[in-house]
Amino acid sequence: MQISKRIKTLSRSQTVEITNLSRCLKNEGIDVISLSVGEPDFTTPEEIIHYANTMAKQGNTKYVATDGLPELKLKIQEKMQRDNALSYDLDEIFVGSGAKQVLYNIFMALLDPGDEVVVPNPFWVTYTEQVKLAEGVPVIAHTTAENEYKLTPKILDQFMTEKTKILVLNSPNNPTGSVYTREELKALADYLDDKDIIVIADEIYEVLVYDGEHISIASMSEKMKKKTIVINGVSKSHAMTGWRVGYACGDREVISAITKLQSQLVSSVSTPAQYAAVAAYDMERTFLDEYNQLFRKRRDNAYKKMVELPYVECIKPQGAFYLFPYFKDTAKKCGFNTVDDFLKALLSEKHVALVPGSAFGYPNNLRLSYAVDEDTLNEAMNRLKIFINEKLENIRK
Ligand SMILES: Cc1ncc(COP(=O)(O)O)c(C=O)c1O
């Protein structure tokens, strides 16, 4: 059968592929450690599961409103006000099947062929692929480690054209773990003040900030709020990746457009899953504090071990659950031309799965997810160290 050009040219998600490959190897009995996954290693808190189960048993198993379960939208409204000082009417809130699906709807609803979307690099590859699906043009704005891979007005200015329609801003960031400060966001907001551009602020890792605080660019000014669509969800904040609940808050015209699209795509998000998200927002704040503490400890351990490796350079991530070290020199000294080749050999010889930076448009780096328990991380880092030392030893011989 003839597959469409649209799908033929679409890249597969490399992170999903590596995770699947690790799973297959594990099923074959190979002792693979995967530090490639973008999800917490534990299951959803019991009370969330219990509430979803109860609501389903009570008969809440039918379609609900296309733009989201009213109870959940109220919780999101409350959360945005409390945590982000942003007030939205209910018709400015949309619930979709995970942040990923919400983003897809937004690109589809906003882009006409040829419209440009500025995506800072390194980037979560879904942005660029979804932009292409919507016949938009991703414009890659390169950032560097010197500036913790953050976009500045100066960099952004080099990529703005009369066709620029959207800027994607992701903080805390996947894959770098960088978090924009208030001053940095203010500088970007000032730059954008007189520009007719929509900002998609992906804040899915909001609760995972270890140094400093999470700030939404939408909160910089009333004008900025009008230009911004905030994306968030419960996947990363409550260990709920499998429930598939994410949302958008912003301009009601955009919300109405994505709801129209949703009515032909999904009808409405899984009803029990939306009740689960209601329960997530009802949980005590202490859950999030403990969650944050746990990941901070993991960050510190992973970072310490990473920077001890030879020739590696790594910024200390302030949020999310990833390290994004520069690895090119290590790969070269170990006899590999590319970081990709190094990682393939690491997986086949030491059974450790990491994601190459090429999956994020940044081929000289790699991404390590520390959303695993301490023993698993220590074992993986030990294998990585042994692998590097063996390769260096072989070259010296
Ligand atoms: C930056 C970023 N945005 C959005 C998502 C998607 O979240 P969800 O699982 O809610 O679709 C991810 C998941 O990896 C992500 O890393």
Side-chain angles (χ1 to χ4, degrees):
M1 263 182 232
Q2 192 58 258
I3 302 301
S4 73
K5 287 198 196 84
R6 185 183 305 117
I7 298 303
K8 273 191 191 155
T9 54
L10 182 73
S11 306
R12 280 179 197 276
S13 163
Q14 273 202 59
T15 44
V16 173
E17 290 231 311
I18 291 166
T19 306
N20 289 345
L21 177 63
S22 315
R23 243 179 240 136
C24 286
L25 291 172
K26 251 186 200 157
N27 290 343
E28 285 168 24
I30 297 170
D31 169 29
V32 176
I33 302 180
S34 176
L35 302 183
S36 63
V37 285
E39 62 184 345
D41 52 321
F42 38 86
T43 37
T44 306
E46 180 52 36
E47 58 223 88
I48 296 178
I49 299 173
H50 177 75
Y51 187 67
N53 187 23
T54 307
M55 295 315 279
K57 279 191 173 154
Q58 284 178 10
N60 293 291
T61 53
K62 304 220 164 76
Y63 294 130
V64 290
T66 302
D67 59 344
L69 183 76
E71 290 93 318
L72 177 56
K73 288 181 52 161
L74 280 169
K75 295 287 172 200
I76 294 167
Q77 188 182 43
E78 254 172 57
K79 181 246 165 270
M80 296 305 292
Q81 183 71 58
R82 184 190 59 235
D83 299 345
N84 311 95
L86 290 167
S87 87
Y88 291 101
D89 290 335
L90 290 175
D91 62 355
E92 294 175 308
I93 299 171
F94 168 90
V95 182
S97 297
K100 200 180 239 188
Q101 199 249 332
V102 175
L103 283 162
Y104 175 77
N105 279 19
I106 293 173
F107 290 127
M108 288 299 283
L110 289 177
L111 295 175
D112 281 316
D115 284 344
E116 292 180 0
V117 178
V118 177
V119 182
N121 167 341
F123 50 80
W124 184 51
V125 76
T126 292
Y127 302 135
T128 48
E129 293 308 306
Q130 289 191 347
V131 168
K132 286 191 244 164
L133 276 176
E135 296 182 60
V137 180
V139 175
I140 308 306
H142 193 73
T143 66
T144 60
E146 286 69 51
N147 197 34
E148 297 180 341
Y149 306 104
K150 289 188 245 185
L151 190 70
T152 60
K154 195 169 162 209
I155 299 172
L156 177 56
D157 193 52
Q158 295 165 38
F159 297 94
M160 297 283 288
T161 72
E162 70 281 1
K163 290 193 188 145
T164 309
K165 183 146 190 197
I166 298 177
L167 163 67
V168 176
L169 206 63
N170 171 218
S171 175
N173 187 274
N174 174 11
T176 66
S178 295
V179 176
Y180 283 72
T181 64
R182 186 179 294 279
E183 292 69 36
E184 288 160 347
L185 292 173
K186 173 83 173 53
L188 285 170
D190 287 348
Y191 172 81
L192 294 170
D193 189 66
D194 61 351
K195 305 206 168 36
D196 188 17
I197 180 167
I198 299 157
V199 176
I200 296 182
D202 182 347
E203 302 179 359
I204 192 87
Y205 294 95
E206 169 176 17
V207 306
L208 294 163
V209 174
Y210 316 115
D211 309 314
E213 54 179 334
H214 168 77
I215 295 161
S216 176
I217 192 167
S219 66
M220 288 297 111
S221 66
E222 203 40 46
K223 209 164 165 192
M224 202 58 229
K225 181 179 170 235
K226 286 205 174 83
K227 288 175 195 255
T228 307
I229 303 166
V230 177
I231 307 293
N232 210 326
V234 288
S235 297
K236 319 283 176 171
S237 63
H238 291 79
M240 288 179 69
T241 46
W243 296 80
R244 312 308 302 129
V245 181
Y247 56 86
C249 301
D251 180 85
R252 56 173 56 80
E253 228 185 304
V254 176
I255 298 298
S256 162
I258 60 179
T259 305
K260 182 159 97 176
L261 176 59
Q262 188 79 332
S263 73
Q264 299 296 2
L265 279 183
V266 181
S267 293
S268 62
V269 176
S270 154
T271 306
Q274 292 196 71
Y275 277 108
V278 168
Y281 284 126
D282 273 341
M283 279 183 73
E284 294 289 339
R285 179 78 215 182
T286 45
F287 165 76
L288 290 182
D289 293 341
E290 282 163 19
Y291 190 74
N292 182 291
Q293 287 304 326
L294 172 73
F295 276 97
R296 178 195 302 266
K297 247 177 91 186
R298 288 174 170 186
R299 187 268 317 248
D300 290 344
N301 181 31
Y303 176 73
K304 186 168 166 283
K305 293 207 156 58
M306 181 57 77
V307 291
E308 279 167 11
L309 295 176
Y311 314 111
V312 168
E313 286 166 34
C314 189
I315 62 158
K316 189 167 187 182
Q318 291 156 342
F321 37 61
Y322 307 107
L323 298 182
F324 194 63
Y326 170 79
F327 226 80
K328 179 81 187 290
D329 291 352
T330 314
K332 275 239 137 112
K333 300 266 186 196
C334 289
F336 298 95
N337 280 335
T338 63
V339 175
D340 287 55
D341 289 345
F342 175 96
L343 292 182
K344 275 182 206 143
L346 176 72
L347 180 57
S348 76
E349 291 176 37
K350 298 288 178 213
H351 309 143
V352 175
L354 293 161
V355 185
S358 53
F360 308 95
Y362 225 90
N364 293 339
N365 289 40
L366 61 80
R367 190 191 77 174
L368 175 150
S369 163
Y370 52 84
V372 291
D373 63 61
E374 199 175 325
D375 288 348
T376 306
L377 185 98
N378 290 347
E379 171 62 18
M381 291 307 283
N382 204 28
R383 289 189 199 179
L384 177 58
K385 194 167 149 188
I386 292 171
F387 181 73
I388 292 172
N389 287 339
E390 282 175 4
K391 295 294 167 198
L392 291 176
E393 192 57 33
N394 278 348
I395 299 230
R396 264 185 232 121
K397 269 182 200 163

